[in-house]
Amino acid sequence: MFAVPSVIYIAHLKNMLDQPNKRTVHALLTPRLGGVAIFAGFMSALTIFANLGNGVQALLAGCIVLFFVGLKDDLVSISASKKLVGQLLATGIVMFMADVRVTSFQGIFGIHALPVSFSYAFTFLVITGITNAVNLIDGLDGLAGSVVIIIVGTFGFYFYRYGGQDFGNYVFVAVCVIGGILGFLRYNFHKATIFMGDTGSLVCGFIVSVLTVQFIEMGLRTGQPFGSANPAVAAGILFVPLFDTLRVFTVRVLKGTSPFTPDKNHIHHRILAMGFQQISTVLLLVLLNLVVILFVINFATHGNTVLIAVLLSFSLALSVFLGTYRSRSAEQRVAS
């Protein structure tokens, strides 16, 4: 909270500002280095108070790598391939140095324990996929920060209740992320005076992805909190960023364009096109994520297959609705 005003001042002084373009929602030059303040708050609190065992030290090392990758992208812009290399390095640190990986599908598609090589490959896809999913929803004032707080807070609660010696210290990771983002959101809600930028979204996405892997593994090793249903529950907890990423990539592929081609077809863009304002759009997406989280938690006893089927069906219905619905005011604007 104390760092952000200094970051804003320096960004304006050195002209390190985000230029509005046809894909952005903001209309003014705005600093995009909020991730520097989030990282400072998160790192200082975690290294002072937390037990860095059980892979947390490797998580911090990966965060440092992605912090500098995101910082360079915010300052001078770098290619997607270079960002992917940074993500590969950060993921390799947690996988090979701390053995943080998905080791079992826990009965999904009838598959249980995974071969080691496939486990590493799948974990890389999970971590990079979730990291980029969080990066992609950072399109409205306060959206990414609010969604990350809900996701990390949910994981942190279950690590606190059921983590034990193997996973309990990840609650410190969750709490420190929440603290860092809360200090930043003071300046990021509409109308924002600073953006998270890739510095913040890559670090936050990476932390969320590692917490997700450890949450899934906690269900396998301890049977808590939802036993073999932990993978499906984790997908529900991450619903908004995962749904948005899968929907956007699918739409782009069906249109014959590259899935990595930027556009204004994200879920927040579609809701804005319906006539909602920025604040109401953020609140609507936060509420959507909370409702899905409550659903998967309350119906976890039905197992992975049922939960995943329901989530996919709901995603398909929501995607069709977002693609076809137009508000009366939006139609009038198009007509005019």
Side-chain angles (χ1 to χ4, degrees):
M1 187 177 291
F2 288 112
V4 171
S6 297
V7 174
I8 294 173
Y9 172 75
I10 293 170
H12 280 284
L13 187 67
K14 299 297 183 181
N15 198 31
M16 297 181 292
L17 306 171
D18 189 48
Q19 298 276 355
N21 56 55
K22 62 181 182 180
R23 292 190 299 107
T24 58
V25 177
H26 67 285
L28 302 175
L29 292 170
T30 308
R32 54 181 310 209
L33 294 172
V36 174
I38 296 174
F39 183 75
F42 165 72
M43 283 289 289
S44 58
L46 193 66
T47 52
I48 291 170
F49 296 108
N51 172 7
L52 301 183
N54 300 327
V56 174
Q57 185 178 23
L59 168 64
L60 289 179
C63 287
I64 293 171
V65 171
L66 289 180
F67 171 79
F68 285 105
V69 171
L71 183 62
K72 184 176 181 181
D73 188 53
D74 287 335
L75 293 176
V76 297
S77 186
I78 60 175
S79 65
S81 59
K82 290 183 179 179
K83 282 197 280 189
L84 184 62
V85 170
Q87 293 173 28
L88 177 62
L89 179 58
T91 304
I93 290 171
V94 295
M95 283 197 305
F96 295 107
M97 297 188 67
D99 200 33
V100 173
R101 56 190 175 91
V102 179
T103 60
S104 172
F105 276 4
Q106 302 186 41
I108 300 176
F109 307 122
I111 302 172
H112 290 274
L114 299 175
V116 175
S117 57
F118 185 83
S119 172
Y120 282 119
F122 181 73
T123 302
F124 172 73
L125 291 176
V126 169
I127 292 179
T128 55
I130 294 173
T131 300
N132 287 293
V134 172
N135 187 25
L136 289 174
I137 64 164
D138 184 26
L140 291 183
D141 297 345
L143 177 58
S146 300
V147 171
V148 169
I149 283 177
I150 292 169
I151 293 171
V152 169
T154 305
F155 284 141
F157 171 76
Y158 288 113
F159 284 129
Y160 174 73
R161 287 288 303 275
Y162 306 106
Q165 292 185 346
D166 292 335
F167 302 97
N169 59 327
Y170 280 91
V171 70
F172 287 94
V173 177
V175 171
C176 292
V177 171
I178 292 171
I181 294 176
L182 284 176
F184 162 74
L185 284 179
R186 161 70 176 77
Y187 306 92
N188 183 240
F189 268 109
H190 191 68
K191 293 182 176 180
T193 55
I194 190 169
F195 298 147
M196 183 182 292
D198 277 12
T199 311
S201 61
L202 288 177
V203 170
C204 289
F206 181 70
I207 294 168
V208 168
S209 67
V210 173
L211 291 180
T212 302
V213 171
Q214 293 296 69
F215 177 79
I216 293 171
E217 285 300 293
M218 183 170 69
L220 179 67
R221 299 184 199 176
T222 69
Q224 298 292 342
F226 306 105
S228 61
N230 268 29
V233 173
I237 293 171
L238 294 163
F239 180 78
V240 166
L242 290 184
F243 166 76
D244 180 54
T245 302
L246 292 174
R247 177 185 171 276
V248 166
F249 278 21
T250 302
V251 169
R252 290 171 185 172
V253 170
L254 291 176
K255 287 182 176 180
T257 61
S258 168
F260 303 102
T261 303
D263 57 26
K264 292 190 72 170
N265 201 32
H266 290 279
I267 184 171
H268 49 273
H269 292 137
R270 302 307 311 151
I271 295 175
L272 286 173
M274 294 177 186
F276 287 90
Q277 300 300 314
Q278 279 208 48
I279 294 177
S280 54
T281 299
V282 171
L283 293 176
L284 188 63
L285 290 173
V286 167
L287 179 61
L288 172 63
N289 215 113
L290 283 171
V291 169
V292 175
I293 288 172
L294 291 174
F295 171 80
V296 293
I297 287 173
N298 282 285
F299 291 92
T301 53
H302 291 275
N304 284 313
T305 304
V306 172
L307 288 180
I308 291 174
V310 171
L311 289 174
L312 289 175
S313 300
F314 177 64
S315 298
L316 181 60
L318 182 60
S319 184
V320 171
F321 174 76
L322 290 172
T324 57
Y325 180 80
R326 296 289 189 278
S327 70
R328 185 172 300 175
S329 60
E331 289 175 348
Q332 290 172 350
R333 286 198 301 271
V334 172
S336 64

